[in-house]
Structures are given as C-alpha cells and as structure tokens.
Amino acid sequence: MSGIIACNDKTMYWFASFSTSMSSQEMEENPAEAKQFVLSKLGKVADNFKAVIRDTELENLSIAPLRFRHPWDILWGRISKSNVCVAGDAFHPMTPDIGQGGCSALEDGVTLARCLGEALRDKQGIRSEEYKRIEMGLKNYAKERRWRAFELISTAYMVGYIQTSNGRILSFLRNKVLGGFFARQQLKLASFDCGKLTTS
Ligand SMILES: Cc1cc2nc3c(=O)[nH]c(=O)nc-3n(C[C@H](O)[C@H](O)[C@H](O)COP(=O)(O)OP(=O)(O)OC[C@H]3O[C@@H](n4cnc5c(N)ncnc54)[C@H](O)[C@@H]3O)c2cc1C
C-alpha cells in the first residue's frame, strides 16, 4: 500500500508499507537500498509519484516496523490516572494504513475538552474538589474513547499485516476477499462522529 500528498507548494509527503527480509535496522542503516526496494515494489503508479520517491533525500526517510500492541491493553489498561491521561498516538498508535491517526487524535482532543468542560462547568469549590472533578472528567473521557481506540488499533494492525504479507493464503484472501471488506471497514471508521466540543 502506498500514498502521496502535497503538504505545500514545495513539500510532498509519501508513505509505502511492504514486507521485506531486511530488518528495520538494516533498512535504517542502508536508506539508499531501502529507497530502491520501495521503488521496485511500487507496481503500477504514476511516473511523477516514482519521481518524488526517487528524489527524496535519504535523511528525510523514516523507516519503522509494524508492531503489534495488544488491543485488550486498551480495554483493561489505564487511560487516565488521577489528573493525567493519554491521547493521540500515546493512547492508540496509528500506522498510515487506515488514514485515521490525525483525525482520531483530534477526536480525543474534542472528547477530552468536552469531558473536562463538563466536569468544571458552573462549579465553584475548593481545590481538592476541583481535582476530583478533573479526575472524574478524565475517567469519562477514558470510558468514551476506549472502544473507539480498541477498534482503531486492531484494524490498523490487521490491515498493515495483511497488506505486507507475502504468504500465499493471505495474499489470495487479500486480493479476492479482504480488499473489499477492509475498504468498507475503512470508510466506516472514517465516518465516526465524536460529538460537539460543547454540550450546550
Ligand atoms: C509513516 C506514517 C504515516 C502516517 N500517515 C498518516 C496519514 O496519512 N493520515 C493520518 O491521519 N495519520 C497518519 N499517520 C498517523 C499520524 O501521524 C499519527 O496518528 C498522529 O500524528 C498522532 O498525533 P499525536 O499528536 O498523538 O502525536 P505526534 O504527531 O507524534 O505528536 C507528538 C509531539 O510530541 C512531541 N514530543 C514527544 N516527546 C516530547 C517531550 N518529552 N516533550 C515535548 N514534546 C514532545 C513530538 O516531537 C511530537 O511533535 C501516519 C503515521 C506514520 C508513522
């Protein structure tokens, strides 16, 4: 899987996911080889996409292996503790495969602001009460976002794994069955409504 987008008039962003016998450390140590490998794996893409990859300076390449994180850690693990919580990639690290990392980090921000706003709204109290209300607001945030984050990291890993697999069975399933399923799942994930920033 690969993609490309213009950030501004002068900068392009691209990504490609693939499987290789080279380790990520070997790739990082040989970025020129990694770039050649990506170019050889692109298949049928526009010539100007290939040109962007070819002209990418080696120091601008970022190479990372796909990692599995247990989705149940999100269901049963801590998302907030006292008056601290996680959000964005720190909560549900994303790969480029489902294109949801940026949006889901924003969803977290909206939900978090709403939960904190509600916890602190129209209430005057001593400091320790405020602390408790913040703690409660963060707990509500964790409750609202837990299942969404679970679904996001599970889908991102599965799509990444299947996209980069060379196995005969998985390649067959990817080409014949799973392509359509994941495309629908991606659209479903993208049309998520995290609600308004304020409640009234
Ligand atoms: C290769 C790749 C391609 C991707 N492509 C897409 C895509 O096409 N679409 C999409 O929606 N998502 C994509 N994602 C996912 C997306 O980039 C992330 O999900 C998103 O950036 C998460 O936002 P964030 O604010 O949580 O974290 P980040 O964007 O990582 O921001 C965290 C910030 O905190 C800073 N920081 C870290 N430690 C400290 C510290 N101790 N003190 C101060 N600052 C600190 C970092 O420098 C960084 O600026 C991609 C991810 C990867 C790896």
Side-chain angles (χ1 to χ4, degrees), residues 44-121:
K44 277 189 194 161
V45 296
D47 284 344
N48 49 7
F49 184 7
K50 281 190 183 152
V52 169
I53 296 185
R54 206 181 44 237
D55 294 345
T56 302
E57 282 142 10
L58 296 182
E59 64 267 26
N60 289 333
L61 283 180
S62 167
I63 299 164
L66 178 67
R67 288 188 203 280
F68 178 69
R69 290 176 169 86
H70 299 121
W72 45 90
D73 284 349
I74 283 196
L75 292 187
W76 292 298
R78 271 189 169 148
I79 294 165
S80 74
K81 184 181 174 189
S82 300
N83 61 349
V84 176
C85 72
V86 282
D89 270 11
F91 180 7
H92 38 72
M94 289 283 99
T95 65
D97 300 286
I98 60 169
Q100 284 297 301
C103 290
S104 58
L106 289 172
E107 287 167 22
D108 287 341
V110 169
T111 310
L112 179 57
R114 192 174 55 229
C115 289
L116 283 179
E118 271 178 24
L120 297 173
R121 191 171 54 169

Side-chain angles (χ1 to χ4, degrees), residues 149-170:
F150 172 85
E151 193 179 20
L152 283 168
I153 70 157
S154 310
T155 312
Y157 181 78
M158 271 193 298
V159 174
Y161 183 77
I162 289 168
Q163 290 290 353
T164 55
S165 171
N166 280 335
R168 291 225 313 255
I169 296 175
L170 270 183

